[in-house]
Amino acid sequence: MDYTKNSISTLAIISLLLAVFIYISTLSTFPPKTFLSFQINPTKSPIGMAKYELEEALKKASMAEKTVIITVINKAYVEPYNGEYPSMFDLFLEGFWEGESTRVLLEHLLVVAVDQTAYERCKFRRLHCYRLVTGDGDFGGEKIYMSEEFIKMMWRRTWFLMEVLKLDYNFIFTDADVMWLRNPFLMLNKSKNLDLQMSTDWFNGDSFSYSNSINTGFYYVRSNRKTITLFEIWYAMRRNSKGMKEQDVLARMLREGVNKELYLRMKFLDTLYFGGFCSDNKDVKLVMTVHANCCRTIEAKVADLKNVLVDWKRYKDGHVAAGKNSFKWSKHISCNNSWHVPNPTLS
């Protein structure tokens, strides 16, 4: 009798542990086995006139080997904050004007506007413009970092860039809060063996270490089967990643080994060349781009990027020496303070 009771008790404990294990497994954000086994639902690619317009826009902006530079803007980026010029987009273009060997790159910049105001401002500038029609929300106003609308806009951007890859175009994607002070193509690896070169918030010293803190605000990607599959899986992951922005989802995918499954070859960009507000470039002689990352609002980004351009012009005009110990970027006071604003207004 005691033997029977013990057997029943043991069986009950094993069953309970098994049930707990199964329950915990179902809570996993990402697929339990492999990324390639993750279901990728078909997405609505541009069709008809929309596809033709996108192909034409890419063709006009393309440089050799079907490579373009892409940025995405909305009304909040093209209109001055509180009526005070310049706007974020003004500063972005000013960076190309003031940069070294960067003006010619504007010929290969495709500006993707998610609302009509941004599109009209782009056309006024006589740039290569594409109007991305979005049916899943109003993307015109400022989207505060990590707000629901911000996350939704980041996923829409990921979808669009996936479609560009499917059209067989390589591209540099750049946020409009990145100052191009030198031609980054001079530092990026042109080897076809590299699929993706991504900027970092903090660089750990190893360009091929997947423990680097990635930033999707600036990266160079080649169109091939591996990168298209990566973007398809990445975009599909949004369904299992509520409350997470696309950058964090990709970072987790890399930690989970998606690069190994896809045989993806990545390089992570050194902040010495591709710096930002998270980790300042230490030598102005080497800087390629400066990103207003680690910053919460457009108002703060504009204020501190204006200082970046002032610093850069002072260096170019010979007012400061170029050595490591003599040149210093202005402190990012507005961006640092932006994290202490309790409820910034959505404009």
Side-chain angles (χ1 to χ4, degrees):
M1 180 68 69
D2 291 339
Y3 173 80
T4 302
K5 288 182 177 179
N6 289 338
S7 298
I8 294 174
S9 298
T10 302
L11 181 60
I13 292 172
I14 293 174
S15 299
L16 180 61
L17 290 174
L18 180 61
V20 171
F21 174 79
I22 294 173
Y23 175 73
I24 291 175
S25 297
T26 62
L27 295 179
S28 177
T29 302
F30 293 113
K33 293 183 179 179
T34 65
F35 286 96
L36 290 175
S37 67
F38 188 72
Q39 182 179 0
I40 301 174
N41 293 335
T43 57
K44 293 183 179 180
S45 297
I47 58 175
M49 184 58 70
K51 182 178 180 181
Y52 171 78
E53 290 175 352
L54 176 56
E55 289 178 326
E56 284 298 300
L58 289 167
K59 183 178 179 180
K60 290 177 181 177
S62 179
M63 58 184 76
E65 297 185 354
K66 298 184 74 173
T67 299
V68 295
I69 303 165
I70 298 176
T71 194
V72 177
I73 60 172
N74 66 356
K75 179 180 178 180
Y77 270 59
V78 301
E79 292 195 337
Y81 190 87
N82 285 339
E84 296 183 9
Y85 285 92
S87 68
M88 177 70 76
F89 191 51
D90 293 332
L91 282 173
F92 177 66
L93 297 178
E94 185 71 9
F96 283 91
W97 180 259
E98 293 293 343
E100 295 179 0
S101 303
T102 51
R103 293 182 188 180
V104 67
L105 296 178
L106 285 175
E107 298 175 9
H108 306 294
L109 173 67
L110 177 61
V111 179
V112 180
V114 298
D115 59 66
Q116 191 61 26
T117 300
Y119 180 72
E120 290 173 0
R121 289 292 185 106
C122 175
K123 296 297 289 184
F124 179 76
R125 293 278 193 165
R126 299 184 182 277
L127 301 167
H128 299 296
C129 313
Y130 178 75
R131 173 72 165 92
L132 177 60
V133 179
T134 60
D136 49 357
D138 174 19
F139 295 141
E142 179 178 0
K143 309 307 174 191
I144 298 299
Y145 182 76
M146 290 309 294
S147 67
E148 183 178 348
E149 287 298 308
F150 171 87
I151 293 172
K152 188 182 294 185
M153 187 164 69
M154 294 302 100
W155 282 118
R156 186 63 176 176
R157 183 179 80 182
T158 303
W159 171 85
F160 173 79
L161 296 173
M162 174 180 67
E163 297 303 321
V164 172
L165 290 176
K166 289 180 179 179
L167 292 174
D168 198 31
Y169 280 88
N170 317 309
F171 61 81
I172 287 182
F173 174 76
T174 175
D175 276 341
D177 60 353
V178 176
M179 295 289 100
W180 287 46
L181 302 181
R182 290 189 175 94
N183 186 343
F185 286 102
L186 300 176
M187 281 299 302
L188 294 169
N189 193 310
K190 307 300 190 302
S191 172
K192 292 185 178 180
N193 294 326
L194 277 175
D195 303 302
L196 180 58
Q197 298 174 65
M198 174 122 359
S199 65
T200 58
D201 285 334
W202 294 277
F203 182 66
N204 69 7
D206 183 352
S207 295
F208 297 97
S209 167
Y210 285 84
S211 64
N212 276 296
S213 175
I214 67 168
N215 188 298
T216 54
F218 183 94
Y219 58 91
Y220 177 37
V221 58
R222 286 190 163 275
S223 174
N224 57 43
R225 187 63 255 170
K226 291 183 290 184
T227 55
I228 291 172
T229 302
L230 173 69
F231 272 69
E232 287 177 334
I233 297 172
W234 184 13
Y235 184 65
M237 286 292 184
R238 76 194 186 285
R239 302 191 305 267
N240 300 65
S241 312
K242 185 175 178 58
M244 293 178 68
K245 67 180 184 294
E246 68 359 303
Q247 177 176 297
D248 295 337
V249 173
L250 180 59
R252 184 166 179 178
M253 287 169 61
L254 293 173
R255 291 196 300 270
E256 298 274 341
V258 68
N259 55 298
K260 295 179 181 178
E261 282 195 44
L262 299 181
Y263 297 97
L264 196 71
R265 181 69 169 168
M266 286 185 66
K267 180 180 180 181
F268 302 92
L269 301 176
D270 192 337
T271 53
L272 184 63
Y273 307 98
F274 301 91
F277 293 174
C278 295
S279 181
D280 272 330
N281 164 277
K282 299 299 189 294
D283 191 343
V284 70
K285 293 181 297 181
L286 302 177
V287 64
M288 296 284 158
T289 60
V290 176
H291 188 186
N293 50 9
C294 291
C295 193
R296 194 178 182 205
T297 65
I298 290 178
E299 180 183 19
K301 288 172 183 279
V302 167
D304 286 344
L305 284 175
K306 285 166 65 176
N307 289 334
V308 168
L309 281 178
V310 169
D311 294 342
W312 173 251
K313 290 177 183 179
R314 289 178 61 241
Y315 160 68
K316 283 205 314 174
D317 293 342
H319 296 308
V320 291
K324 290 183 179 180
N325 298 323
S326 53
F327 177 87
K328 290 184 179 180
W329 297 103
S330 298
K331 294 182 179 180
H332 317 304
I333 296 174
S334 294
C335 282
N336 290 337
N337 290 340
S338 70
W339 298 100
H340 305 298
V341 178
N343 291 303
T345 302
L346 288 171
S347 60

